[in-house]
Amino acid sequence: MSWQAYVDDHLMCEIEGNHLSAAAIIGHEGSVWAQSDSFPQFKPEEIIAIMKDFDEPGSLAPTGLHLGGTKYMVIQGEPGAVIRGKKGTGGVTVKKTSLALIIGIYDEPMTPGQCNVVVERLGDYLNDQGY
């Protein structure tokens, strides 16, 4: 299966009538493996900051998580594994796998929990496959 199919079929899929706004699979060094058409153009330093927070949990909390110029307030996650951010009625979930970051962006009516399930389920699967 191509990486794009993982984004299209597993991240941008329908969950209880809702969809993510945007999704991507990005290598740890910032290379895009696959992304939805709606995924924001991000800066390399934004990915560097996200990767740093996985190595040093809490490093994003004072400044927020930035992605495509949008600032998200960092909320609870799983240190070293998942970062969750909130902005208004939407947010972002970032799951780290062995080789990649699985990123899902959502807005109402999708709930944070639905986004977490979609992103983390694929991340856990890819981890199990060695990715």
Side-chain angles (χ1 to χ4, degrees):
M1 182 181 294
S2 76
W3 292 113
Q4 192 60 50
Y6 281 107
V7 170
D8 297 341
D9 300 341
H10 297 280
L11 293 175
M12 297 301 288
C13 63
E14 184 175 310
I15 298 289
E16 298 171 16
N18 300 320
H19 298 84
L20 291 173
S21 308
I25 301 173
I26 298 172
H28 287 179
E29 76 300 332
S31 65
V32 176
W33 293 11
Q35 66 183 21
S36 64
D37 292 338
S38 55
F39 197 78
Q41 181 65 47
F42 60 87
K43 297 181 177 107
E45 56 267 24
E46 292 173 332
I47 300 303
I48 291 167
I50 290 169
M51 286 301 297
K52 180 181 178 192
D53 194 80
F54 282 116
D55 294 334
E56 301 171 26
S59 66
L60 282 178
T63 59
L65 184 157
H66 291 81
L67 191 61
T70 300
K71 179 180 175 180
Y72 297 90
M73 180 178 66
V74 177
I75 54 176
Q76 101 292 351
E78 296 169 32
V82 180
I83 301 170
R84 299 183 183 111
K86 185 92 174 114
K87 178 176 174 60
T89 58
V92 62
T93 300
V94 183
K95 169 76 176 181
K96 181 183 179 196
T97 70
S98 304
L99 302 175
L101 299 174
I102 314 302
I103 303 175
I105 299 172
Y106 70 93
D107 210 339
E108 281 188 336
M110 184 170 242
T111 66
Q114 289 170 328
C115 178
N116 296 342
V117 167
V118 171
V119 171
E120 294 173 36
R121 185 173 53 203
L122 179 60
D124 290 341
Y125 171 78
L126 292 177
N127 257 338
D128 291 346
Q129 302 303 309
Y131 293 107

